[in-house]
Amino acid sequence: MNDVLTFETMGTVVSLRGATAAAASEVRAVFAGYDHRYSLYDPSSVLSRVADGTIRLPDTPEQVRDVYALALDWRERTGGAFTPHRPDGVVDLSGVVKALAIRDAGAVLDEAGADWMISAGGDVLVRGMHRGVEPWSVGVVDPAHRDTVVGVVRLDAPRRAVATSGTAERGEHIWRSTTPTFVQATVVADDVVTADVLATAIVAGDEEDLGRFTSDVDVDVLAFGADGRVWATPGASSWVTTGAAPVP
């Protein structure tokens, strides 16, 4: 049960700890379902067919329209820093579907055991304890020095999720409306969708956005600036080991 089980999906690697082989198979199916509906690399997916004009978005299955509505809600809440639309206008829901897949996979893992961790492409969701004795821990690396850990997040309920978004590993893949202010953001939240969306929105936004997001939503944030500065909310300051300025 404490072995690490991994599989590839959605262009990333999913790692499971504390999962039975049967639960891992169900989790794989959850991710496959999301990938089949929303991948823009699979020409047969629902979203690819929307992109090529084969079907209209209003004619897609209800679950697809619900995910799009969720993404639009987050666009509104973040003032456009997070968006489900590519610069060319194509609807791209990758900014929420990975986190939704993790959320739904968590529900599967809940049925299999009380102590587990799932990690996928910079997003982590946990329940219970590591080996039943200590909180699950997630290291945060310095984007300028990938071999340096600048903080260790200990995930205690209700803070069960952490997401890191940035450009150090995948380059510039985040759509920005301004000159880059941040190169990496780690967000710790009670749920993985909030953590994932806000991590992306912070990297896409500016310092004013960072202050607004952290005042509107109960999260802990560690953000690295393009100019070398580092910002941290009070909660993040308790586990970061590098000097960081308070979030405005």
Side-chain angles (χ1 to χ4, degrees):
M1 286 283 291
N2 286 311
D3 292 337
V4 180
L5 303 174
T6 64
F7 61 91
E8 295 184 6
T9 184
M10 292 183 172
T12 189
V13 176
V14 176
S15 298
L16 302 174
R17 290 172 172 82
T20 63
S25 179
E26 289 189 59
V27 166
R28 187 190 295 261
V30 168
F31 277 88
Y34 273 94
D35 201 28
H36 179 68
R37 288 188 295 276
Y38 302 103
S39 173
L40 286 172
Y41 298 98
D42 178 359
S44 67
S45 77
V46 176
L47 221 56
S48 287
R49 291 164 62 203
V50 171
D52 66 20
T54 304
I55 59 174
R56 301 185 313 130
L57 187 60
D59 298 328
T60 59
E62 182 179 6
Q63 63 189 140
V64 174
R65 287 180 277 121
D66 286 346
V67 171
Y68 180 60
L70 174 67
L72 290 179
D73 179 61
W74 275 110
R75 184 182 67 178
E76 179 70 21
R77 294 173 64 181
T78 61
F82 175 87
T83 177
H85 300 110
R86 290 184 174 182
D88 60 5
V90 170
V91 175
D92 186 338
L93 298 177
S94 59
V96 290
V97 294
K98 181 182 66 175
L100 289 172
I102 294 171
R103 181 202 65 185
D104 291 354
V108 170
L109 295 171
D110 278 341
E111 296 296 320
D115 303 301
W116 51 261
M117 170 189 278
I118 179 170
S119 172
D123 294 356
V124 176
L125 180 66
V126 307
R127 181 172 291 282
M129 309 284 279
H130 180 226
R131 300 186 184 276
V133 296
E134 61 183 2
W136 294 99
S137 298
V138 178
V140 179
V141 301
D142 184 333
H145 306 281
R146 303 298 293 168
D147 58 347
T148 301
V149 175
V150 296
V152 176
V153 183
R154 294 170 67 85
L155 293 171
D156 291 309
R159 285 288 200 259
R160 299 178 50 218
V162 56
T164 296
S165 182
T167 60
E169 291 189 359
R170 295 177 57 193
E172 286 289 348
H173 65 285
I174 296 172
W175 313 317
R176 304 175 188 261
S177 58
T178 64
T179 301
T181 299
F182 301 106
V183 295
Q184 180 174 294
T186 295
V187 177
V188 185
D190 295 355
D191 73 279
V192 69
V193 175
T194 296
D196 188 40
V197 169
L198 287 185
T200 300
I202 289 168
V203 175
D206 55 25
E207 192 171 347
E208 183 178 338
D209 290 321
L210 173 62
R212 180 164 51 84
F213 300 157
T214 54
S215 63
D216 290 346
V217 187
D218 181 20
V219 291
D220 302 319
V221 176
L222 178 65
F224 292 82
D227 60 2
R229 289 186 293 166
V230 182
W231 292 262
T233 58
S237 297
S238 66
W239 46 260
V240 67
T241 57
T242 188
V247 169

